[in-house]
Amino acid sequence: MSAVEKKLEALGLKLEPAKPPVGNYIGSKSVGELLYASGRVSNLIGEIGSEVSLERAKHAAMETVLLILAIVKNDIRDLDLLTGVVKLQGFLRCSPGFTELP
């Protein structure tokens, strides 16, 4: 078990097995020393602030990041090979009056 996975376990989190990519998609791609992980969406449906609570949205975001980590682990086999994150991008669907974004 990698040190990254041990840290996740200490936080009470676990990586589930990665789902295989569908069609022409790939989970991740290496370019030089950079690894690009493909995007994923949450199963949570609704607008934050009107249909979805902030707490549920945070949980969905965490699950999505864990899914991406599982895909990366599946592709490179050892999360300890990662030395940093250059960019992490997320998109949220929020109600017009929702003001709790950082």
Side-chain angles (χ1 to χ4, degrees):
M1 181 182 290
S2 71
V4 171
E5 289 175 277
K6 287 178 184 174
K7 287 179 185 177
L8 289 172
E9 189 177 87
L11 294 170
L13 304 172
K14 180 182 175 191
L15 295 181
E16 298 296 329
K19 297 175 186 171
V22 178
N24 291 333
Y25 293 97
I26 58 174
S28 65
K29 181 177 178 71
S30 294
V31 178
E33 291 189 11
L34 293 177
L35 179 75
Y36 292 86
S38 64
R40 291 291 183 262
V41 296
S42 167
N43 292 328
L44 184 62
I45 296 173
E47 197 173 72
I48 302 168
S50 62
E51 302 166 315
V52 174
S53 70
L54 179 58
E55 202 55 43
R56 282 185 60 209
K58 286 180 179 181
H59 186 74
M62 179 195 63
E63 287 178 337
T64 304
V65 170
L66 290 174
L67 173 61
I68 293 169
L69 281 175
I71 291 166
V72 168
K73 177 189 173 192
N74 187 63
D75 290 353
I76 67 172
R77 304 284 180 228
D78 184 0
L79 292 176
D80 288 345
L81 295 173
L82 299 175
T83 59
V85 175
V86 174
K87 180 179 181 179
L88 179 64
Q89 186 170 349
F91 297 95
L92 306 170
R93 181 174 168 227
C94 301
S95 65
F98 185 75
T99 59
E100 295 183 55
L101 295 172

